[in-house]
Amino acid sequence: MIDAPTGEDTEVQPLLREEAQAILDVVKERRNGTRWPVALGLRQSESLGTRWKYVDLSKGVIRVFWQIKRLRYRHGCTDPHACGARHHRYPCPKDCPKVKRTSGRRHVCLVACRKNCTKHGGACPKFCAPDCARHAVTCPERVGGWTFVKPKGKGKRSIALPSPLVALLKAHREAQEAERRAAGDRWKDWDLVWCMPDGGPIDAGDDWDEWKSILGLAEIDKDARVHDARHTAATLLLEQGVDIRVVQAVLGHSQLTTTKRYTHITETLASEAAARMGRALWES
């Protein structure tokens, strides 16, 4: 019977063109440096989940078909409590001797800390409940961990790459092949374009930390997020006169209204609009 409240759009802070160029200059000699130009269009999980089989360097296209996520581990067995029993930690029973000599070793029992304990700096040891069914990470039949899932928005999409980036990706692939040969049997063949030195996936937190380091090296004092690179992409594309529906396709938005939230009326666009108005009204 009443109008539903409307949510307020979160203000986004895209980087300026000069700031984006400074970032590209910082990462050009960096390991996995090509990961950051691609951030201008791809979500973090899409970038980190990009595999070579979806990159066509001859045509200069990346097919964004998957993203990578690290899902919480879950037990795949029938008795989670029994499965993780060896990793359960219980408080010692009241009648347990505090010191016991076994094979010449001294054993000190673990007991739950009091509420006002100050011995551990707030990091008191924790104990499992008697019916604990956690510790799924140790389950031989566990499910979860690194998993490829479908991307958000419109799902699958293809993105054309600028020719300078294609050349950089070719050099990056050669460098990665050298790492593969050096790693030998230790290489984890995930087929990832951007990976750890052993071929495994890059943790999103580590990726975030590297981004912050790059911002510092580029002398950018904004508290920009990795996701803000996508805001930058939308702004730069509009400044180049790219239609907003094309921007929508590049960013993979299912709704045009989402793309509009990402785009800002920059000084460049406003100046161009004023110039066009001047030509229309005052120039013959």
Side-chain angles (χ1 to χ4, degrees), residues 8-33:
E8 295 184 1
D9 290 338
T10 303
E11 184 177 357
V12 293
Q13 295 293 332
L15 299 171
L16 300 176
R17 181 188 304 184
E18 294 76 12
E19 292 172 331
Q21 290 172 335
I23 288 174
L24 297 187
D25 187 59
V26 166
V27 303
K28 62 183 180 181
E29 301 297 334
R30 199 180 185 95
R31 183 182 179 276
N32 282 335

PDB file of all heavy atoms in Angstrom, residues 8-33:
ATOM      1  N   GLU A   8      19.959   4.186  -2.419  1.00  0.00           N
ATOM      2  CA  GLU A   8      20.823   5.216  -2.976  1.00  0.00           C
ATOM      3  C   GLU A   8      22.023   4.577  -3.650  1.00  0.00           C
ATOM      4  O   GLU A   8      22.616   3.646  -3.115  1.00  0.00           O
ATOM      5  CB  GLU A   8      21.289   6.167  -1.870  1.00  0.00           C
ATOM      6  CG  GLU A   8      20.157   6.966  -1.239  1.00  0.00           C
ATOM      7  CD  GLU A   8      20.683   7.956  -0.216  1.00  0.00           C
ATOM      8  OE1 GLU A   8      21.919   8.012  -0.038  1.00  0.00           O
ATOM      9  OE2 GLU A   8      19.863   8.664   0.384  1.00  0.00           O
ATOM     10  N   ASP A   9      22.368   5.078  -4.820  1.00  0.00           N
ATOM     11  CA  ASP A   9      23.530   4.565  -5.536  1.00  0.00           C
ATOM     12  C   ASP A   9      24.806   4.945  -4.791  1.00  0.00           C
ATOM     13  O   ASP A   9      24.956   6.075  -4.314  1.00  0.00           O
ATOM     14  CB  ASP A   9      23.591   5.130  -6.960  1.00  0.00           C
ATOM     15  CG  ASP A   9      22.500   4.560  -7.835  1.00  0.00           C
ATOM     16  OD1 ASP A   9      21.999   3.476  -7.504  1.00  0.00           O
ATOM     17  OD2 ASP A   9      22.153   5.205  -8.845  1.00  0.00           O
ATOM     18  N   THR A  10      25.705   3.994  -4.695  1.00  0.00           N
ATOM     19  CA  THR A  10      26.986   4.253  -4.062  1.00  0.00           C
ATOM     20  C   THR A  10      27.862   5.067  -5.003  1.00  0.00           C
ATOM     21  O   THR A  10      28.002   4.731  -6.180  1.00  0.00           O
ATOM     22  CB  THR A  10      27.696   2.926  -3.734  1.00  0.00           C
ATOM     23  OG1 THR A  10      26.840   2.143  -2.903  1.00  0.00           O
ATOM     24  CG2 THR A  10      29.010   3.174  -3.009  1.00  0.00           C
ATOM     25  N   GLU A  11      28.418   6.143  -4.484  1.00  0.00           N
ATOM     26  CA  GLU A  11      29.270   6.971  -5.322  1.00  0.00           C
ATOM     27  C   GLU A  11      30.578   6.239  -5.603  1.00  0.00           C
ATOM     28  O   GLU A  11      31.195   5.675  -4.704  1.00  0.00           O
ATOM     29  CB  GLU A  11      29.558   8.304  -4.633  1.00  0.00           C
ATOM     30  CG  GLU A  11      30.361   9.255  -5.506  1.00  0.00           C
ATOM     31  CD  GLU A  11      30.577  10.593  -4.836  1.00  0.00           C
ATOM     32  OE1 GLU A  11      30.039  10.778  -3.724  1.00  0.00           O
ATOM     33  OE2 GLU A  11      31.271  11.442  -5.424  1.00  0.00           O
ATOM     34  N   VAL A  12      30.982   6.237  -6.848  1.00  0.00           N
ATOM     35  CA  VAL A  12      32.222   5.567  -7.228  1.00  0.00           C
ATOM     36  C   VAL A  12      33.274   6.609  -7.580  1.00  0.00           C
ATOM     37  O   VAL A  12      32.961   7.721  -7.961  1.00  0.00           O
ATOM     38  CB  VAL A  12      31.996   4.612  -8.428  1.00  0.00           C
ATOM     39  CG1 VAL A  12      31.101   3.459  -8.028  1.00  0.00           C
ATOM     40  CG2 VAL A  12      31.393   5.352  -9.613  1.00  0.00           C
ATOM     41  N   GLN A  13      34.523   6.235  -7.420  1.00  0.00           N
ATOM     42  CA  GLN A  13      35.626   7.161  -7.635  1.00  0.00           C
ATOM     43  C   GLN A  13      36.576   6.596  -8.697  1.00  0.00           C
ATOM     44  O   GLN A  13      37.545   5.921  -8.365  1.00  0.00           O
ATOM     45  CB  GLN A  13      36.379   7.387  -6.312  1.00  0.00           C
ATOM     46  CG  GLN A  13      35.566   8.070  -5.226  1.00  0.00           C
ATOM     47  CD  GLN A  13      35.218   9.502  -5.580  1.00  0.00           C
ATOM     48  OE1 GLN A  13      35.939  10.159  -6.327  1.00  0.00           O
ATOM     49  NE2 GLN A  13      34.104   9.980  -5.052  1.00  0.00           N
ATOM     50  N   PRO A  14      36.313   6.854  -9.969  1.00  0.00           N
ATOM     51  CA  PRO A  14      37.211   6.347 -11.003  1.00  0.00           C
ATOM     52  C   PRO A  14      38.539   7.090 -10.979  1.00  0.00           C
ATOM     53  O   PRO A  14      38.629   8.231 -10.519  1.00  0.00           O
ATOM     54  CB  PRO A  14      36.442   6.628 -12.299  1.00  0.00           C
ATOM     55  CG  PRO A  14      35.576   7.803 -11.968  1.00  0.00           C
ATOM     56  CD  PRO A  14      35.183   7.634 -10.532  1.00  0.00           C
ATOM     57  N   LEU A  15      39.568   6.435 -11.480  1.00  0.00           N
ATOM     58  CA  LEU A  15      40.865   7.071 -11.600  1.00  0.00           C
ATOM     59  C   LEU A  15      40.873   8.009 -12.807  1.00  0.00           C
ATOM     60  O   LEU A  15      40.151   7.793 -13.780  1.00  0.00           O
ATOM     61  CB  LEU A  15      41.954   6.014 -11.770  1.00  0.00           C
ATOM     62  CG  LEU A  15      42.105   5.012 -10.629  1.00  0.00           C
ATOM     63  CD1 LEU A  15      43.070   3.908 -11.033  1.00  0.00           C
ATOM     64  CD2 LEU A  15      42.581   5.691  -9.361  1.00  0.00           C
ATOM     65  N   LEU A  16      41.686   9.028 -12.740  1.00  0.00           N
ATOM     66  CA  LEU A  16      41.865   9.896 -13.882  1.00  0.00           C
ATOM     67  C   LEU A  16      42.716   9.193 -14.938  1.00  0.00           C
ATOM     68  O   LEU A  16      43.414   8.219 -14.648  1.00  0.00           O
ATOM     69  CB  LEU A  16      42.555  11.197 -13.455  1.00  0.00           C
ATOM     70  CG  LEU A  16      41.821  12.037 -12.400  1.00  0.00           C
ATOM     71  CD1 LEU A  16      42.681  13.242 -12.012  1.00  0.00           C
ATOM     72  CD2 LEU A  16      40.461  12.463 -12.894  1.00  0.00           C
ATOM     73  N   ARG A  17      42.645   9.682 -16.168  1.00  0.00           N
ATOM     74  CA  ARG A  17      43.417   9.076 -17.245  1.00  0.00           C
ATOM     75  C   ARG A  17      44.913   9.088 -16.913  1.00  0.00           C
ATOM     76  O   ARG A  17      45.608   8.085 -17.120  1.00  0.00           O
ATOM     77  CB  ARG A  17      43.186   9.805 -18.561  1.00  0.00           C
ATOM     78  CG  ARG A  17      43.960   9.204 -19.721  1.00  0.00           C
ATOM     79  CD  ARG A  17      43.860  10.049 -20.972  1.00  0.00           C
ATOM     80  NE  ARG A  17      42.480  10.275 -21.366  1.00  0.00           N
ATOM     81  CZ  ARG A  17      42.128  10.925 -22.480  1.00  0.00           C
ATOM     82  NH1 ARG A  17      43.063  11.419 -23.274  1.00  0.00           N
ATOM     83  NH2 ARG A  17      40.866  11.087 -22.792  1.00  0.00           N
ATOM     84  N   GLU A  18      45.394  10.185 -16.369  1.00  0.00           N
ATOM     85  CA  GLU A  18      46.812  10.288 -16.023  1.00  0.00           C
ATOM     86  C   GLU A  18      47.182   9.283 -14.941  1.00  0.00           C
ATOM     87  O   GLU A  18      48.291   8.719 -14.943  1.00  0.00           O
ATOM     88  CB  GLU A  18      47.143  11.707 -15.541  1.00  0.00           C
ATOM     89  CG  GLU A  18      46.998  12.787 -16.610  1.00  0.00           C
ATOM     90  CD  GLU A  18      45.540  13.143 -16.889  1.00  0.00           C
ATOM     91  OE1 GLU A  18      44.664  12.728 -16.106  1.00  0.00           O
ATOM     92  OE2 GLU A  18      45.283  13.832 -17.899  1.00  0.00           O
ATOM     93  N   GLU A  19      46.273   9.037 -14.008  1.00  0.00           N
ATOM     94  CA  GLU A  19      46.536   8.074 -12.945  1.00  0.00           C
ATOM     95  C   GLU A  19      46.567   6.654 -13.497  1.00  0.00           C
ATOM     96  O   GLU A  19      47.411   5.832 -13.094  1.00  0.00           O
ATOM     97  CB  GLU A  19      45.469   8.210 -11.853  1.00  0.00           C
ATOM     98  CG  GLU A  19      45.554   9.525 -11.095  1.00  0.00           C
ATOM     99  CD  GLU A  19      44.376   9.735 -10.161  1.00  0.00           C
ATOM    100  OE1 GLU A  19      43.274   9.220 -10.454  1.00  0.00           O
ATOM    101  OE2 GLU A  19      44.546  10.442  -9.159  1.00  0.00           O
ATOM    102  N   ALA A  20      45.649   6.348 -14.418  1.00  0.00           N
ATOM    103  CA  ALA A  20      45.653   5.025 -15.048  1.00  0.00           C
ATOM    104  C   ALA A  20      46.937   4.810 -15.837  1.00  0.00           C
ATOM    105  O   ALA A  20      47.524   3.714 -15.814  1.00  0.00           O
ATOM    106  CB  ALA A  20      44.437   4.882 -15.957  1.00  0.00           C
ATOM    107  N   GLN A  21      47.399   5.839 -16.521  1.00  0.00           N
ATOM    108  CA  GLN A  21      48.644   5.730 -17.279  1.00  0.00           C
ATOM    109  C   GLN A  21      49.838   5.540 -16.354  1.00  0.00           C
ATOM    110  O   GLN A  21      50.772   4.798 -16.670  1.00  0.00           O
ATOM    111  CB  GLN A  21      48.831   6.974 -18.145  1.00  0.00           C
ATOM    112  CG  GLN A  21      47.846   7.066 -19.306  1.00  0.00           C
ATOM    113  CD  GLN A  21      47.918   8.394 -20.036  1.00  0.00           C
ATOM    114  OE1 GLN A  21      48.329   9.417 -19.475  1.00  0.00           O
ATOM    115  NE2 GLN A  21      47.505   8.396 -21.300  1.00  0.00           N
ATOM    116  N   ALA A  22      49.816   6.194 -15.183  1.00  0.00           N
ATOM    117  CA  ALA A  22      50.894   6.029 -14.207  1.00  0.00           C
ATOM    118  C   ALA A  22      50.946   4.594 -13.693  1.00  0.00           C
ATOM    119  O   ALA A  22      52.030   4.029 -13.494  1.00  0.00           O
ATOM    120  CB  ALA A  22      50.699   7.010 -13.040  1.00  0.00           C
ATOM    121  N   ILE A  23      49.779   3.983 -13.503  1.00  0.00           N
ATOM    122  CA  ILE A  23      49.725   2.588 -13.054  1.00  0.00           C
ATOM    123  C   ILE A  23      50.316   1.664 -14.119  1.00  0.00           C
ATOM    124  O   ILE A  23      51.108   0.762 -13.817  1.00  0.00           O
ATOM    125  CB  ILE A  23      48.271   2.197 -12.727  1.00  0.00           C
ATOM    126  CG1 ILE A  23      47.826   2.883 -11.436  1.00  0.00           C
ATOM    127  CG2 ILE A  23      48.127   0.679 -12.598  1.00  0.00           C
ATOM    128  CD1 ILE A  23      46.376   2.679 -11.103  1.00  0.00           C
ATOM    129  N   LEU A  24      49.946   1.880 -15.366  1.00  0.00           N
ATOM    130  CA  LEU A  24      50.471   1.045 -16.447  1.00  0.00           C
ATOM    131  C   LEU A  24      51.987   1.192 -16.568  1.00  0.00           C
ATOM    132  O   LEU A  24      52.688   0.228 -16.909  1.00  0.00           O
ATOM    133  CB  LEU A  24      49.797   1.404 -17.767  1.00  0.00           C
ATOM    134  CG  LEU A  24      48.285   1.175 -17.847  1.00  0.00           C
ATOM    135  CD1 LEU A  24      47.784   1.420 -19.258  1.00  0.00           C
ATOM    136  CD2 LEU A  24      47.911  -0.227 -17.387  1.00  0.00           C
ATOM    137  N   ASP A  25      52.490   2.365 -16.280  1.00  0.00           N
ATOM    138  CA  ASP A  25      53.929   2.588 -16.339  1.00  0.00           C
ATOM    139  C   ASP A  25      54.642   1.830 -15.218  1.00  0.00           C
ATOM    140  O   ASP A  25      55.728   1.286 -15.418  1.00  0.00           O
ATOM    141  CB  ASP A  25      54.227   4.089 -16.236  1.00  0.00           C
ATOM    142  CG  ASP A  25      55.702   4.402 -16.455  1.00  0.00           C
ATOM    143  OD1 ASP A  25      56.220   4.059 -17.533  1.00  0.00           O
ATOM    144  OD2 ASP A  25      56.333   4.954 -15.533  1.00  0.00           O
ATOM    145  N   VAL A  26      54.012   1.768 -14.043  1.00  0.00           N
ATOM    146  CA  VAL A  26      54.610   1.063 -12.897  1.00  0.00           C
ATOM    147  C   VAL A  26      54.655  -0.445 -13.127  1.00  0.00           C
ATOM    148  O   VAL A  26      55.625  -1.112 -12.756  1.00  0.00           O
ATOM    149  CB  VAL A  26      53.821   1.394 -11.609  1.00  0.00           C
ATOM    150  CG1 VAL A  26      54.187   0.433 -10.484  1.00  0.00           C
ATOM    151  CG2 VAL A  26      54.090   2.828 -11.177  1.00  0.00           C
ATOM    152  N   VAL A  27      53.612  -1.008 -13.742  1.00  0.00           N
ATOM    153  CA  VAL A  27      53.493  -2.464 -13.835  1.00  0.00           C
ATOM    154  C   VAL A  27      54.137  -3.050 -15.095  1.00  0.00           C
ATOM    155  O   VAL A  27      54.165  -4.274 -15.245  1.00  0.00           O
ATOM    156  CB  VAL A  27      52.011  -2.900 -13.793  1.00  0.00           C
ATOM    157  CG1 VAL A  27      51.343  -2.384 -12.528  1.00  0.00           C
ATOM    158  CG2 VAL A  27      51.240  -2.416 -15.024  1.00  0.00           C
ATOM    159  N   LYS A  28      54.656  -2.222 -15.983  1.00  0.00           N
ATOM    160  CA  LYS A  28      55.117  -2.753 -17.268  1.00  0.00           C
ATOM    161  C   LYS A  28      56.266  -3.738 -17.130  1.00  0.00           C
ATOM    162  O   LYS A  28      56.427  -4.630 -17.976  1.00  0.00           O
ATOM    163  CB  LYS A  28      55.496  -1.606 -18.201  1.00  0.00           C
ATOM    164  CG  LYS A  28      56.642  -0.734 -17.719  1.00  0.00           C
ATOM    165  CD  LYS A  28      56.885   0.427 -18.686  1.00  0.00           C
ATOM    166  CE  LYS A  28      58.022   1.322 -18.229  1.00  0.00           C
ATOM    167  NZ  LYS A  28      58.224   2.466 -19.161  1.00  0.00           N
ATOM    168  N   GLU A  29      57.103  -3.608 -16.092  1.00  0.00           N
ATOM    169  CA  GLU A  29      58.199  -4.544 -15.875  1.00  0.00           C
ATOM    170  C   GLU A  29      57.918  -5.498 -14.723  1.00  0.00           C
ATOM    171  O   GLU A  29      58.795  -6.238 -14.305  1.00  0.00           O
ATOM    172  CB  GLU A  29      59.499  -3.767 -15.601  1.00  0.00           C
ATOM    173  CG  GLU A  29      59.923  -2.824 -16.715  1.00  0.00           C
ATOM    174  CD  GLU A  29      60.246  -3.566 -18.004  1.00  0.00           C
ATOM    175  OE1 GLU A  29      60.617  -4.765 -17.920  1.00  0.00           O
ATOM    176  OE2 GLU A  29      60.136  -2.967 -19.091  1.00  0.00           O
ATOM    177  N   ARG A  30      56.718  -5.483 -14.219  1.00  0.00           N
ATOM    178  CA  ARG A  30      56.353  -6.275 -13.045  1.00  0.00           C
ATOM    179  C   ARG A  30      55.871  -7.662 -13.453  1.00  0.00           C
ATOM    180  O   ARG A  30      55.257  -7.815 -14.504  1.00  0.00           O
ATOM    181  CB  ARG A  30      55.249  -5.542 -12.288  1.00  0.00           C
ATOM    182  CG  ARG A  30      55.055  -5.948 -10.836  1.00  0.00           C
ATOM    183  CD  ARG A  30      53.931  -5.116 -10.242  1.00  0.00           C
ATOM    184  NE  ARG A  30      53.753  -5.356  -8.824  1.00  0.00           N
ATOM    185  CZ  ARG A  30      54.308  -4.606  -7.872  1.00  0.00           C
ATOM    186  NH1 ARG A  30      55.078  -3.587  -8.211  1.00  0.00           N
ATOM    187  NH2 ARG A  30      54.089  -4.877  -6.595  1.00  0.00           N
ATOM    188  N   ARG A  31      56.159  -8.666 -12.613  1.00  0.00           N
ATOM    189  CA  ARG A  31      55.628 -10.009 -12.886  1.00  0.00           C
ATOM    190  C   ARG A  31      54.100  -9.937 -12.852  1.00  0.00           C
ATOM    191  O   ARG A  31      53.506  -9.351 -11.965  1.00  0.00           O
ATOM    192  CB  ARG A  31      56.126 -11.003 -11.837  1.00  0.00           C
ATOM    193  CG  ARG A  31      55.665 -12.426 -12.123  1.00  0.00           C
ATOM    194  CD  ARG A  31      56.119 -13.419 -11.055  1.00  0.00           C
ATOM    195  NE  ARG A  31      55.614 -14.740 -11.383  1.00  0.00           N
ATOM    196  CZ  ARG A  31      54.393 -15.174 -11.077  1.00  0.00           C
ATOM    197  NH1 ARG A  31      53.569 -14.385 -10.404  1.00  0.00           N
ATOM    198  NH2 ARG A  31      54.005 -16.385 -11.435  1.00  0.00           N
ATOM    199  N   ASN A  32      53.458 -10.573 -13.823  1.00  0.00           N
ATOM    200  CA  ASN A  32      52.000 -10.512 -13.971  1.00  0.00           C
ATOM    201  C   ASN A  32      51.514  -9.076 -14.193  1.00  0.00           C
ATOM    202  O   ASN A  32      50.368  -8.744 -13.887  1.00  0.00           O
ATOM    203  CB  ASN A  32      51.282 -11.092 -12.743  1.00  0.00           C
ATOM    204  CG  ASN A  32      51.282 -12.608 -12.725  1.00  0.00           C
ATOM    205  OD1 ASN A  32      51.377 -13.257 -13.775  1.00  0.00           O
ATOM    206  ND2 ASN A  32      51.188 -13.200 -11.542  1.00  0.00           N
ATOM    207  N   GLY A  33      52.382  -8.226 -14.754  1.00  0.00           N
ATOM    208  CA  GLY A  33      52.011  -6.837 -14.968  1.00  0.00           C
ATOM    209  C   GLY A  33      50.822  -6.659 -15.898  1.00  0.00           C
ATOM    210  O   GLY A  33      50.067  -5.696 -15.765  1.00  0.00           O
TER     211      GLY A  33
END
